[in-house]
Amino acid sequence: MEVIFKYIVFLPLVGFLIAGMFGRKIGDRMSQLLTASLVTIAAVLSWVAFKNVAFGGEKYAVHVLSWVTSGDLSFNWAFKIDTLTAVMLVVVNTVSALVHWYSMGYMHEDPDKPRFFAYLSLFTFAMLMLVTSDNLVQMFFGWEGVGLASYLLIGFWFKKPSANAAAIKAFVVNRVGDFGFALGIYAVFMLTGSVMFDDIFARAGEFQNYSINFLGHDYHALTVICLLLFVGAMGKSAQLGLHTWLPDAMEGPTPVSALIHAATMVTAGVFLVARFSPVFEFSPTALHVVTIVGASTAFFAATVGLVQNDIKRVIAYSTCSQLGYMFLALGLSAYGAAIFHLFTHAFFKALLFLGAGSVIHAMHHEQDMRNMGGLWRKIPFTAGVMFVGNLAITGFPYLSGYFSKDMIIEAAYASHSAGAQYGFVLAVAAAFMTSFYSWRLWIMTFAGPGTRADHHTFDHAHEGPWTMRIPLLVLTVGAIAAGGYFAASFIGHDRFDFWNGALMTHVDDVMDHAHHVPAGVKWAPFVVMVLGAALAAWFYQRKTDLPQRTAEMWDGLYAFLLNKWYFDELYNFLFVRPAFWLGRTFWKRGDEQTIDGFGPNGVSALVAGIAARARKLQSGYVYHYAFAMIIGLAGLVTWFMASGSGH
Amino acid sequence: MIFLQNYLLSLMMLVPMIGAFFILIIRHQDKEIEKRNIRSVALLATLATFALSCLLWAGFDNADAGFQFTENYAWIGDTVRYNIGVDGISMLFVVLTAFLMPIVVLGSWESVETRVKEYMIAFLLLETLMIGVFCALDIFLFYVFFEGGLIPMYLLIGVWGGVNRIYASFKFFLYTLLGSVLMLVAILYMYMETGTTDIPLLMTHHFAPSVQTWLWLAFFASFAVKMPMWPVHTWLPDAHVQAPTGGSVILAGVLLKMGGYGFLRFSLPMFPDASQDFAWLIFALSIIAVVYTSLVALVQEDIKKLIAYSSVAHMGFVTIGIFVFNANGIEGAIFTMLSHGVVSGALFLCVGVIYDRLHTREIKRYGGLSVNMKIYATIFVILSMASVGLPGTSGFVGEFLVLNGSFAYNSWVSFGAATGVILGAAYMLYLVRRLVFGELDKDDVKAMPDLSLREKIIFAPLIAAVFWMGIYPNSFLDPVHASVEKLISTHFAVVKHAAPAPAEMQGEHAAPAHAEHEAH
């Protein structure tokens, strides 16, 4: 059994290497088929592993290669396979395989296909390394590896300045998060003397009353560690404050957005916190912070999503918002619910993104929803699957989002932990907005008798080839059924057997309490979903001048939302421009004027004055002086030592 | 084999000199054939030296913390001896030097057309001297190699350099002279006090703390310039910009490592008390260097200057690692130096490749190279990632170990230095964007061909090294452990109390001692 995990992880790497190095030799077709097939094999094996691990109660430790040994620090390239990892394997490889096949259709006209598929496989490999790691450093390898793949794929169309800017922004903002993650690793090592998960978790309890010195102050050790790691999670999962890269990342090809910026990479932060749940359990403060940040992000991103006009950006903010839900769940110690939402979200969000890709494909790279409408007549299949995707994300009963999202909202109500009520209120508000912007998107894109698109584009709109439609179909099945089918295992009565210690699970925990909340709370998500959908229909179907009038009436608020709460402007002002200004100042004023001015140039001016008198000796070549000087010194020393030896 | 065992290091120093001698006597009527022969001999000599360095590595006993492959003969009087040998700290620097030389010779194959003979002789002499620096076990011998190595470098910059080569070599000279004079005075003092110039003996001598302070400062002056540390770094950008490609590779790849090596070989073992007392100074200067030069790198318009400034930032990590006095820090520092030798050397070669084609180092004259120079662009991106310390590449391991070691010592240091990780990504990716991405719209850039076979051969071993060091760094860490462990346990066990509390816990497995119980 161990060996199949090596296949699961390394087959995508093989695909990457072959397509990356020999892509032009073996041709487009071969590169595509090879990478897609290898990832598909990995996906099938992942489901086998999932069954074995999650429902067979198995755990595996797979050693690959030793990595670093230095002093007391030692870690390997090795896999730790438990249910949490198995869930992630299934999510990552399934979505990745579907996206590989989908991309064959979507990227049909692109001249650089081997490179694209190589990057997709590279991403898959890095993500697998992240989720299978048995230690923090390999996880960091995967963490930065997916960052690299994300950078390369966002900037895939490298001739576009906006794509380049977005790629750099993604990498650098993620590095801010990684800065925290790395410091977290060092703190873990300092406290526990190990970076291996098993060591850390087994002994976390021992350290619950310890404090460490961080930046001159003593703090509760486990809180410091959790918060530092959480900074990393915030960067990767685009949480409020470090979210600015995610909307811009939509510059990448749409299949990339579906795979990386919706279903898998951005959930790495959720995975990290869930993986560290045995440690977070000891730090109520850290959980409180996670709750607040998660709920705030869910709310913030939903508000911005209300007014965006780019079809991909709406979904990007939606992703950001749903990730907020996951963190909210983590903060409430409802780890199973967080991972369950991650699991169902992967299906319906990938579906929505690939559906949006299908629209963009049909509309010849038009992404502005103001230039769409009425498309259901041209691409009914896409309209249909996105309709299902909307039902799933808004939590329509018995579709997958219903099980996972409602659980989070109910858990927030039931929980007595700090910030839970704040989380509950914002989560319900965000659910309302989710419904509104999701249906706004669908109506603006597909509904209506007429269209706002230009006729040429509209007339030529058509469904993608089967390679695009089949993945959509598979994801639709997932969006419908994944929730109901797995709810009992992830968050229900079977969850103790299912997780089998991979997550912190308690009897009588917040998820149990969630089943006993008042009926009003249980109905709240459903009610706001209906209200949101109705309002969207009212605004965009019935009274189509209403959006315009509302925007004018509330122009300040509208501009605030449209400009994404001015985060980009703020960061530009606070960080980007000062960095360049400081760089220039240090260079011109510091190095050239001060250091060189008083240093070498000043001295040389002085020397030049003296040297004018000794011009006879001047040959004009500096190295002559140098040579003479060294020889002179060497001679002097030789004489000194030879004559003085034995004194 | 016994002969080789006994004389390996001398042989490594001799082979380049023999090569230089043959080049000296090469004469041919056809100047082209003469140049080709000169280049071939130089390549052969450096390859032979590299082969010997592989034997050195293979024959090196990782478990032995002391000096190996030692040779010891009387030289000047009774005291100054030709005493050489390597330990875990120096061995890999010898290998690095020998590894980079054939690449440099091959890299200069077509770009240097004037005075080929002198150029190659200068490089071969430089190789002998550089190997000598890392092998010398006599402090005077060390000084001769250390300073002597500067002469060929002056020549390389002054003769084959760019427009402002005289200014650059002057600056280089002035800085290094200042440092080395002070170091010489210190060496003389040490000799007078102890009556020996033997490095292993000097390591066991305990200088009075007040004396240590002065000696430490004198050595510091020399090594800080060499590293270079802020604020004595300003010679480096100029030297790099003016130096020919090969000169830059060696400057960044090997010469910058001599400062770090010097700290490890002299400052730490010989002046342990002063090293502890001045650690704060090192940290302050290093963190300033990391932040300051990273920001300066961000606004550079000249490719070589940008990479030169990035070198200063990377060397900041090295000095931090050395002065946290624990295994992670020191091994991380050594690893960072090795990695930087490969990566920045390769980056300068990358600059050379496009400079040979367009004869400008101005960033904005390029753009869109991914279109017409696909292999080049790939290599450049890989090297950039290694430079920003992406895990899986060589750049990560050293940085990680240094920061891990420094966190245990003082989280402020780790925190300050780690900001360089963010800034490093910013300036490097900004460079990548302007150089290889974007629209290919300039006609002369469009005409640039992708890498030739020779250029591919140059980069192949460098890229292989980047990944090898990143994926299986233990190959490079295993030889280092014993010597570093000895360095720490011999010199820092006694003065441990002087370190801030958290550092005390490093060495021990009883890590929980790091944190104190607190009534919560």
Side-chain angles (χ1 to χ4, degrees):
Chain A
M1 191 67 192
E2 267 102 12
V3 74
I4 84 160
F5 296 106
K6 289 188 184 175
Y7 285 120
I8 289 173
V9 175
F10 291 115
L11 283 179
L13 176 68
V14 171
F16 157 67
L17 290 175
I18 295 176
M21 291 201 284
F22 310 109
R24 269 171 290 166
K25 289 209 181 65
I26 63 176
D28 289 356
R29 187 111 200 104
M30 195 60 207
S31 307
Q32 294 177 348
L33 284 175
L34 182 86
T35 50
S37 306
L38 290 174
V39 175
T40 307
I41 295 171
V44 172
L45 293 177
S46 299
W47 282 97
V48 173
F50 179 59
K51 184 170 176 294
N52 194 298
V53 173
F55 297 103
E58 299 286 339
K59 287 186 181 188
Y60 299 94
V62 185
H63 177 87
V64 181
L65 186 73
S66 77
W67 190 6
V68 170
T69 307
S70 169
D72 297 335
L73 177 68
S74 176
F75 46 88
N76 300 321
W77 298 102
F79 306 149
K80 168 188 166 73
I81 313 288
D82 58 10
T83 303
L84 181 59
T85 298
V87 170
M88 294 304 287
L89 286 179
V90 165
V91 169
V92 172
N93 275 324
T94 307
V95 178
S96 177
L98 294 173
V99 165
H100 271 81
W101 292 104
Y102 178 92
S103 300
M104 285 190 204
Y106 190 83
M107 300 298 281
H108 184 63
E109 289 166 8
D110 199 278
D112 258 341
K113 286 191 266 292
R115 185 164 64 92
F116 183 77
F117 282 81
Y119 289 170
L120 282 185
S121 286
L122 170 67
F123 166 78
T124 310
F125 165 68
M127 191 70 203
L128 293 170
M129 289 297 275
L130 193 165
V131 300
T132 54
S133 174
D134 84 333
N135 66 74
L136 275 166
V137 189
Q138 182 182 323
M139 193 170 177
F140 193 68
F141 165 85
W143 195 266
E144 294 241 302
V146 293
L148 168 69
S150 165
Y151 162 79
L152 292 170
L153 282 164
I154 294 169
F156 180 74
W157 288 314
F158 58 80
K159 290 177 187 168
K160 276 166 66 182
S162 57
N164 277 316
I168 293 182
K169 187 173 175 184
F171 198 94
V172 173
V173 174
N174 265 294
R175 272 260 158 156
V176 176
D178 295 356
F179 168 82
F181 190 173
L183 290 176
I185 298 176
Y186 310 141
V188 167
F189 178 71
M190 187 169 100
L191 186 72
T192 68
S194 176
V195 291
M196 313 286 286
F197 292 145
D198 290 342
D199 295 348
I200 299 165
F201 300 155
R203 299 178 56 205
E206 292 172 32
F207 302 109
Q208 58 174 315
N209 293 324
Y210 282 61
S211 65
I212 53 171
N213 189 291
F214 183 66
L215 303 185
H217 295 278
D218 284 329
Y219 299 104
H220 181 231
L222 295 177
T223 300
V224 170
I225 287 169
C226 289
L227 288 178
L228 285 172
L229 294 177
F230 181 59
V231 171
M234 284 176 68
K236 199 55 90 196
S237 294
Q239 292 299 287
L240 191 59
L242 293 178
H243 66 282
T244 53
W245 64 272
L246 182 60
D248 289 21
M250 298 300 122
E251 287 290 340
T254 308
V256 172
S257 313
L259 174 62
I260 301 184
H261 306 120
T264 56
M265 182 184 85
V266 288
T267 63
V270 180
F271 171 77
L272 169 65
V273 176
R275 176 55 93 205
F276 260 75
S277 57
V279 182
F280 273 82
E281 278 300 283
F282 289 111
S283 175
T285 316
L287 287 174
H288 186 188
V289 173
V290 174
T291 308
I292 300 293
V293 170
S296 306
T297 307
F299 179 79
F300 151 78
T303 62
V304 179
L306 295 175
V307 299
Q308 299 301 310
N309 292 313
D310 182 313
I311 187 168
K312 284 180 72 181
R313 284 194 183 235
V314 175
I315 308 179
Y317 278 106
S318 163
T319 304
C320 197
S321 175
Q322 298 300 314
L323 290 166
Y325 277 102
M326 296 176 208
F327 280 103
L328 169 62
L330 294 170
L332 302 168
S333 294
Y335 304 106
I339 297 298
F340 190 42
H341 196 52
L342 184 163
F343 181 75
T344 59
H345 175 257
F347 290 103
F348 58 70
K349 192 49 65 67
L351 170 63
L352 287 172
F353 255 122
L354 292 184
S358 188
V359 171
I360 295 165
H361 181 79
M363 295 292 287
H364 290 276
H365 298 282
E366 175 62 72
Q367 295 184 199
D368 193 327
M369 296 188 300
R370 285 170 297 190
N371 301 327
M372 296 180 186
L375 278 171
W376 66 275
R377 276 176 290 138
K378 302 297 289 185
I379 44 173
F381 174 77
T382 305
V385 296
M386 284 189 81
F387 193 89
V388 176
N390 265 358
L391 291 176
I393 191 178
T394 54
F396 191 82
Y398 304 107
L399 267 61
S400 57
Y402 166 76
F403 293 96
S404 55
K405 191 158 77 174
D406 285 18
M407 170 51 98
I408 295 173
I409 292 173
E410 285 160 21
Y413 183 85
S415 170
H416 300 296
S417 68
Q421 292 313 308
Y422 173 81
F424 172 72
V425 173
L426 291 196
V428 173
F432 169 71
M433 290 186 279
T434 305
S435 180
F436 178 82
Y437 65 64
S438 297
W439 291 111
R440 170 179 177 266
L441 179 149
W442 197 90
I443 293 165
M444 282 182 81
T445 308
F446 296 109
T451 180
R452 295 176 301 279
D454 75 81
H455 277 288
H456 184 74
T457 315
F458 186 79
D459 291 342
H460 288 84
H462 57 89
E463 289 287 359
W466 67 268
T467 49
M468 286 170 71
R469 273 174 292 165
I470 288 181
L472 285 171
L473 212 54
V474 174
L475 289 169
T476 306
V477 173
I480 293 170
Y485 190 78
F486 289 108
S489 307
F490 277 78
I491 54 173
H493 293 295
D494 305 338
R495 66 180 188 276
F496 303 103
D497 289 337
F498 179 77
W499 292 114
N500 194 13
L503 293 175
M504 282 307 270
T505 39
H506 302 293
V507 184
D508 198 32
D509 63 1
V510 67
M511 287 190 278
D512 277 331
H513 296 301
H515 292 299
H516 308 298
V517 294
V521 174
K522 279 197 184 287
W523 280 92
F526 181 76
V527 171
V528 295
M529 178 197 77
V530 173
L531 284 179
L535 194 67
W538 177 259
F539 262 54
Y540 293 93
Q541 188 81 340
R542 280 299 175 85
K543 296 266 183 188
T544 43
D545 60 330
L546 209 53
Q548 179 75 20
R549 282 190 4 232
T550 314
E552 279 161 11
M553 202 155 67
W554 304 87
D555 55 344
L557 181 66
Y558 179 72
F560 183 66
L561 295 181
L562 192 65
N563 289 297
K564 306 156 275 183
W565 294 29
Y566 296 104
F567 267 101
D568 282 331
E569 288 74 10
L570 183 70
Y571 285 176
N572 235 358
F573 174 75
L574 283 181
F575 303 115
V576 181
R577 273 189 286 162
F580 279 88
W581 180 82
L582 275 175
R584 265 188 299 276
T585 308
F586 285 154
W587 180 28
K588 294 292 179 190
R589 297 267 162 111
D591 270 22
E592 292 190 353
Q593 280 182 21
T594 312
I595 298 175
D596 281 356
F598 290 100
N601 296 353
V603 172
S604 69
L606 201 70
V607 172
I610 301 164
R613 285 175 229 164
R615 189 156 283 165
K616 282 175 204 160
L617 298 169
Q618 205 169 8
S619 63
Y621 290 102
V622 172
Y623 53 88
H624 283 184
Y625 303 115
F627 195 72
M629 213 106 180
I630 298 297
I631 296 294
L633 283 175
L636 194 72
V637 176
T638 308
W639 173 80
F640 184 83
M641 287 193 167
S643 64
S645 58
H647 74 133
Chain B
M1 274 320 274
I2 299 293
F3 175 81
L4 264 182
Q5 282 289 87
N6 288 344
Y7 300 101
L8 190 56
L9 292 176
S10 290
L11 213 55
M12 285 186 67
M13 286 191 258
L14 196 61
V15 170
M17 291 218 284
I18 296 171
F21 175 74
F22 274 109
I23 289 173
L24 199 63
I25 59 170
I26 287 177
R27 292 254 188 280
H28 199 282
Q29 280 152 343
D30 187 336
K31 286 292 162 201
E32 282 310 309
I33 294 179
E34 185 183 303
K35 283 182 191 170
R36 205 185 61 208
N37 290 347
I38 289 169
R39 289 171 183 139
S40 305
V41 171
L43 183 63
L44 222 59
T46 51
L47 280 174
T49 315
F50 177 58
L52 291 173
S53 78
C54 294
L55 288 179
L56 176 74
W57 194 356
F60 188 83
D61 178 5
N62 290 348
D64 183 355
F67 290 99
Q68 306 177 32
F69 297 94
T70 48
E71 298 169 45
N72 195 340
Y73 313 100
W75 182 27
I76 306 170
D78 296 334
T79 39
V80 179
R81 301 179 69 84
Y82 175 77
N83 183 4
I84 58 173
V86 289
D87 67 351
I89 292 171
S90 54
M91 190 272 289
L92 287 172
F93 289 110
V94 175
V95 178
L96 174 71
T97 308
F99 171 68
L100 287 176
M101 283 307 295
I103 291 168
V104 167
V105 170
L106 215 52
S108 314
W109 208 259
E110 281 162 11
S111 57
V112 175
E113 279 292 335
T114 52
R115 302 184 192 227
V116 178
K117 178 179 279 190
E118 290 84 349
Y119 182 87
M120 291 300 177
I121 290 175
F123 262 113
L124 289 169
L125 284 180
L126 188 57
E127 177 167 26
T128 299
L129 294 167
M130 290 187 301
I131 293 174
V133 168
F134 296 121
C135 296
L137 294 183
D138 183 287
I139 200 164
F140 179 68
L141 189 66
F142 171 83
Y143 187 79
V144 170
F145 285 131
F146 191 77
E147 297 302 320
L150 298 179
I151 300 168
M153 204 62 218
Y154 297 140
L155 290 170
L156 286 167
I157 297 174
V159 178
W160 291 272
V163 184
N164 281 323
R165 55 184 186 265
I166 301 298
Y167 173 73
S169 51
F170 180 79
K171 212 169 172 182
F172 179 38
F173 168 69
L174 205 67
Y175 265 118
T176 41
L177 178 77
L178 179 83
S180 60
V181 166
L182 292 173
M183 182 168 80
L184 183 66
V185 173
I187 289 175
L188 291 177
Y189 179 89
M190 288 160 73
Y191 167 68
M192 289 200 298
E193 182 176 324
T194 62
T196 179
T197 57
D198 185 81
I199 290 175
L201 264 179
L202 284 167
M203 285 181 183
T204 60
H205 184 84
H206 188 75
F207 290 98
S210 59
V211 175
Q212 281 192 26
T213 304
W214 292 107
L215 293 176
W216 190 92
L217 283 172
F219 276 84
F220 171 72
S222 180
F223 299 147
V225 168
K226 264 287 180 7
M227 282 301 297
M229 294 177 74
W230 188 87
V232 287
H233 64 283
T234 62
W235 62 270
L236 187 73
D238 283 309
H240 269 307
V241 166
Q242 299 304 328
T245 300
S248 284
V249 175
I250 290 301
L251 189 57
V254 184
L255 292 183
L256 293 194
K257 311 300 165 313
M258 290 179 179
Y261 173 72
F263 280 129
L264 286 169
R265 181 60 80 229
F266 300 97
S267 305
L268 254 55
M270 294 179 193
F271 325 122
D273 302 308
S275 292
Q276 301 242 351
D277 293 344
F278 283 114
W280 65 270
L281 175 69
I282 296 279
F283 296 145
L285 295 181
S286 303
I287 292 170
I288 292 174
V290 169
V291 176
Y292 179 108
T293 54
S294 295
L295 287 169
V296 174
L298 196 60
V299 296
Q300 292 308 305
E301 285 136 22
D302 180 309
I303 312 171
K304 268 191 156 180
K305 252 192 172 158
L306 195 156
I307 299 171
Y309 274 111
S310 85
S311 291
V312 183
H314 281 119
M315 290 303 111
F317 282 97
V318 173
T319 39
I320 287 173
I322 292 172
F323 282 87
V324 297
F325 315 115
N326 58 43
N328 282 180
I330 292 176
E331 290 178 10
I334 293 172
F335 200 92
T336 303
M337 286 195 268
L338 295 172
S339 161
H340 180 262
V342 172
V343 174
S344 72
L347 279 170
F348 279 117
L349 283 167
C350 275
V351 179
V353 165
I354 50 176
Y355 184 79
D356 289 347
R357 286 162 172 69
L358 210 61
H359 299 286
T360 176
R361 292 180 309 268
E362 234 187 305
I363 297 169
K364 64 168 178 275
R365 289 282 294 106
Y366 295 93
L369 292 178
S370 319
V371 178
N372 58 334
M373 297 179 74
K374 286 198 163 66
I375 298 172
Y376 176 82
T378 307
I379 290 173
F380 195 83
V381 171
I382 292 173
L383 292 171
S384 302
M385 288 300 152
S387 174
V388 304
L390 199 82
T393 65
S394 62
F396 170 70
V397 180
E399 232 171 62
F400 181 83
L401 289 175
V402 165
L403 292 175
N404 195 38
S406 60
F407 194 94
Y409 187 92
N410 182 337
S411 53
W412 270 113
V413 175
S414 205
F415 187 85
T419 54
V421 172
I422 303 169
L423 295 170
Y427 66 70
M428 216 56 214
L429 295 185
Y430 188 40
L431 173 68
V432 168
R433 171 193 178 173
R434 288 177 290 171
L435 221 51
V436 301
F437 293 147
E439 196 78 56
L440 178 68
D441 48 9
K442 302 173 187 79
D443 289 330
D444 46 359
V445 180
K446 273 183 202 163
M448 288 163 62
D450 206 347
L451 297 186
S452 68
L453 180 64
R454 176 181 63 85
E455 287 164 334
K456 283 180 200 163
I457 292 172
I458 294 170
F459 284 110
L462 291 165
I463 298 292
V466 163
F467 286 117
W468 180 11
M469 293 175 78
I471 293 166
Y472 195 69
N474 278 342
S475 311
F476 303 85
L477 289 169
D478 287 341
V480 177
H481 294 319
S483 298
V484 169
E485 186 49 44
K486 185 181 167 209
L487 171 68
I488 296 167
S489 60
T490 318
H491 301 287
F492 294 96
V494 277
V495 281
K496 255 184 174 176
H497 62 271
E504 254 174 59
M505 291 67 170
Q506 192 43 40
E508 274 111 60
H509 244 301
H514 288 210
E516 312 132 28
H517 275 279
E518 200 177 271
H520 257 279

